[in-house]
Amino acid sequence: MSKKSRKRKKRIRKILIGACGVLLLALLVLLTVLLIRLFSCGAKEASVDLSAASAVPTAAATLLPTDPPAATPTPYVTPVPKITDAWYAERNEALTQHVRAFSGLTDEEAIQKRVEGMAIDPDQKMVAFTFDDGPRDELTDGVLDVCEQYNVRVTFFIKGAYIAGHEPQLKRMLALGCEIGNHTWDHLDIEKLTTEEMRYQIEQVDDTLYNVLGVRTKLFRPPYISYGQKGSDTRNALIELMQKHGMAVINHTRSTHDTYDNYTEDMIYERMIAEKDESGYGLHKSIVLCHDKTQKTIGAFRRAVPVLLEQGYQLVTVSELLNCSDEGFRVGAIYKKAD
């Protein structure tokens, strides 16, 4: 090979080596740029993950998708009674005192809830069941058991001679919101008594109840629904006595006939729930006559109460019914089946 040819090859080799060097340098620069960008992205992602990991989890983030939202406690709110008359405030105060004294409850909130559970809705149907001639042991207890089970109230027209020995039943009546009425001391026909004898028969019951329970009656039911003709001395003396003691005479609008020997429990039950009686008088705002002296009456009452409640009736005391009526409670008045 000539010297000239060798020089040309040598020059070409240098050019190739230089070009390879430039290309290699360019590749190195490109690789460096790619590595820098890749590192930068990774650093950002690591930064985000670190931030998310260090954040305090919220309540929502800690709940599983199926968990229900946490319930917010509802503070206890005292119901506002629908009746705002003065008698209703007095009635609630008396109920509070009776529940506090005789129910065994000591917590004031529990006492108030018990009284609030006895609220009356004057716009709903109501009926007043009354039980005469007690108290008696298991029979009166049977009526009270039904009252307690269904949170209903009735009125007991008691015989004064039965007070002694039945103090637990009398206290339980008041603790359940029931009402106690006067039915004379010995269950005597006041038409056959002198004025003084009649006065004793009524006042002795009232005074004894006050000594035992600290309450006085407002309601009087004459035995045998017998109290003299209008204008008679007996009738006039009775009205005067009622006015003196702030009482009223309470008869009835419907009898269950539970003292009839031929009346069965089924027959008594039917009379308790019949929408109208044989005279066409409706059950709403009626005063029903019963006696806590036979087991058939207790059985009929136990069956009747849930049926009447299902029909929308409120079982209330006589005073509650009268105060929710158009005529109200009037001292000295003679209610229902009067002349």
Side-chain angles (χ1 to χ4, degrees), residues 215-232:
V215 300
R216 294 194 181 276
T217 61
K218 292 184 177 181
L219 312 177
F220 173 68
R221 172 169 285 166
Y224 314 108
I225 314 299
S226 173
Y227 47 92
Q229 297 297 316
K230 181 182 289 186
S232 67

Side-chain angles (χ1 to χ4, degrees), residues 42-242:
K44 289 181 180 180
E45 290 176 0
S47 176
V48 171
D49 291 341
L50 180 62
S51 174
S54 62
V56 178
T58 63
T62 60
L63 293 175
L64 295 174
T66 57
D67 287 345
T72 302
T74 302
Y76 176 73
V77 179
T78 301
V80 178
K82 293 187 176 183
I83 305 174
T84 57
D85 295 341
W87 77 266
Y88 195 65
E90 294 175 3
R91 171 251 192 202
N92 285 352
E93 178 58 30
L95 286 176
T96 300
Q97 293 177 8
H98 296 162
V99 171
R100 185 182 293 123
F102 305 123
S103 70
L105 295 174
T106 57
D107 180 72
E108 283 301 314
E109 184 174 355
I111 292 171
Q112 290 302 319
K113 285 185 177 181
R114 171 75 66 86
V115 173
E116 288 157 9
M118 302 175 189
I120 305 169
D121 186 345
D123 298 325
Q124 298 300 317
K125 296 185 295 186
M126 60 183 67
V127 58
F129 276 80
T130 64
F131 291 84
D132 290 8
D133 300 352
R136 302 166 189 264
D137 292 328
E138 68 280 358
L139 295 171
T140 302
D141 284 333
V143 177
L144 291 171
D145 288 344
V146 175
C147 291
E148 185 168 10
Q149 179 180 358
Y150 293 101
N151 188 29
V152 298
R153 298 176 299 286
V154 301
T155 300
F156 294 90
F157 286 98
I158 68 165
K159 181 178 174 180
Y162 288 167
I163 293 176
H166 294 99
E167 292 87 352
Q169 282 89 355
L170 295 170
K171 293 178 180 179
R172 189 181 177 199
M173 291 174 190
L174 297 179
L176 295 177
C178 294
E179 187 170 20
I180 298 176
N182 191 321
H183 201 41
T184 73
W185 188 262
D186 293 304
H187 200 273
L188 300 178
D189 185 346
I190 65 173
E191 286 193 31
K192 300 177 181 180
L193 304 177
T194 66
T195 298
E196 286 305 313
E197 289 172 336
M198 179 180 67
R199 185 185 306 276
Y200 172 83
Q201 286 289 319
I202 295 173
E203 290 183 346
Q204 185 66 11
V205 176
D206 199 43
D207 292 342
T208 303
L209 278 175
Y210 184 77
N211 292 334
V212 173
L213 302 175
V215 300
R216 294 194 181 276
T217 61
K218 292 184 177 181
L219 312 177
F220 173 68
R221 172 169 285 166
Y224 314 108
I225 314 299
S226 173
Y227 47 92
Q229 297 297 316
K230 181 182 289 186
S232 67
D233 291 342
T234 298
R235 174 78 68 92
N236 291 339
L238 176 61
I239 293 175
E240 182 179 349
L241 191 59
M242 295 292 101

Side-chain angles (χ1 to χ4, degrees), residues 10-68:
K10 188 175 182 180
R11 191 167 47 251
I12 292 172
R13 190 164 43 249
K14 286 181 179 182
I15 292 171
L16 291 174
I17 291 172
C20 288
V22 172
L23 181 60
L24 181 60
L25 180 61
L27 289 174
L28 288 174
V29 170
L30 179 61
L31 181 60
T32 301
V33 171
L34 290 175
L35 288 174
I36 291 173
R37 289 185 177 180
L38 181 62
F39 178 78
S40 177
C41 292
K44 289 181 180 180
E45 290 176 0
S47 176
V48 171
D49 291 341
L50 180 62
S51 174
S54 62
V56 178
T58 63
T62 60
L63 293 175
L64 295 174
T66 57
D67 287 345

